[in-house]
Amino acid sequence: MSGSALHLAVELDGDGAHPAAWRRAAHSPDQLLTPRRVARVAAIAENAGFTLITLDDGVLPPGAAPDPVGRIGAVERAAFVAASTSTIGIAPVVPVTYAEPFHVSSQLASLDHISAGRAGWVVTEEQRPEAARAWGRPLVAGADARARESRDGVEVARALWDSWEDDAVIRSVATSRYLDRERLHYIDFTGETYAVKGPAIVPRPPQGQLVVLGRPDRVPDAQLDVALVTGRDLASVATDAAAAGTPRVFAEVEVALDTPEATAAERVADLERHAEWTDRGRLRHIGPANQLIALLGELGRHVDGVRLHPLVLDEDLSVLSRLVLPDLSERRLVTRPVPGTSLRSTLGLQRPANRFTTAAAAAPEDAR
């Protein structure tokens, strides 16, 4: 862990972490998928001082009727948010269980260009068999097979991001040369289920490599910049954080906070009449803001950051921005992004050297 102040991320998909969160939303259901809604919640998070927003996604609908059953793709939402924000990091959730890693890497590299180096990637899996049918692909059955697809997908994406050297783009009108072909490289990846030659069709991202987040039990530590660790109590989170071999570790925490209108327990009980709040094995805080502040202070001893999953965005995000982040900031327990910095810089991660440039520099003179 970094030993610096805590980084706070927040999940902004839908109306909140509870499947029936829309019932307590401050807008009508038909406004959920509008650009104005996406921009508004992102602006609240950025102004509050969050380091990062994440946007959940998957090929299948996020819920079942009568709850909302639609969403706009996470990468598309992230691109829109990138154009309407200036400092906050943006990390869409993109599973590569069935998606083509070549296309995923291109989308994410484009997002990093759009956001001027503020993009990340949350790696997850498509677990339901229906996802294979939606993609028109053979079923990837079993945890080991899904982990293999995630591992290979991240490896391909990272290699493709390096397939353009930083100075491959020339843009010389005088000589009519726009690319140096010697600085574009084939990656020649061959996995168990597919092969990719490359190079990419998008220049190297501004960060060199996007910040990759994921669960260390599903993606190898060496492929992750940030491990997302779970645990139903502080001790479990601390144990998993200590075992993670990644540069940074974030804890997953679900939150339901007291509001002026109702206590957290009352709000949860109201939604539980309609649907159950799914237990995903995460630490869960239900109570007042001051107790969450104390919990985050304790977590700061074990992790570099926390990703919060608010019960209802329209209610909990307001409390987080008015009470939680200002208090933590005053105590210097959290850090907020600085204008003009990349997500990697905000997290204290170095910009990695290009693997092909490094390999060429290390080659003996007589082999050149």
Side-chain angles (χ1 to χ4, degrees), residues 281-355:
R282 298 169 179 158
L283 182 61
R284 184 175 290 180
H285 169 79
I286 301 175
N290 64 332
Q291 290 182 7
L292 176 61
I293 292 168
L295 173 62
L296 293 174
E298 286 293 319
L299 284 168
R301 298 167 53 191
H302 306 284
V303 298
D304 303 288
V306 173
R307 181 165 69 145
L308 299 175
H309 300 261
L311 178 81
V312 180
L313 283 174
D314 285 343
E315 295 178 325
D316 294 288
L317 192 56
S318 174
V319 179
L320 289 167
S321 61
R322 289 187 300 104
L323 301 179
V324 177
L325 272 80
D327 187 285
L328 292 170
S329 181
E330 184 178 355
R331 301 185 196 186
R332 299 187 178 181
L333 295 178
V334 296
T335 184
R336 63 185 301 155
V338 177
T341 58
S342 69
L343 178 57
R344 296 192 72 89
S345 296
T346 298
L347 295 176
L349 300 170
Q350 292 186 345
R351 187 180 189 274
N354 187 296
R355 69 187 69 189

Side-chain angles (χ1 to χ4, degrees), residues 9-77:
V10 60
E11 169 58 47
L12 296 185
D13 183 59
D15 278 316
H18 197 286
W22 65 276
R23 295 178 180 273
R24 298 188 62 92
H27 62 86
S28 59
D30 65 329
Q31 296 299 305
L32 175 61
L33 302 182
T34 61
R36 180 177 297 179
R37 163 69 180 174
V38 175
R40 186 176 73 84
V41 293
I44 293 172
E46 180 171 59
N47 293 334
F50 280 97
T51 296
L52 175 69
I53 62 174
T54 64
L55 299 162
D56 200 6
D57 203 2
V59 69
L60 298 175
D67 298 320
V69 294
R71 57 158 61 109
I72 299 171
V75 175
E76 289 79 6
R77 282 179 286 160

Side-chain angles (χ1 to χ4, degrees), residues 18 20-21 23-24 255-275 277 285-288 311-312 315-316:
H18 197 286
R23 295 178 180 273
R24 298 188 62 92
V255 295
L257 298 168
D258 292 351
T259 68
E261 291 76 26
T263 67
E266 290 170 342
R267 295 171 54 231
V268 172
D270 177 49
L271 294 179
E272 292 289 279
R273 296 186 296 110
H274 305 285
W277 192 0
H285 169 79
I286 301 175
L311 178 81
V312 180
E315 295 178 325
D316 294 288

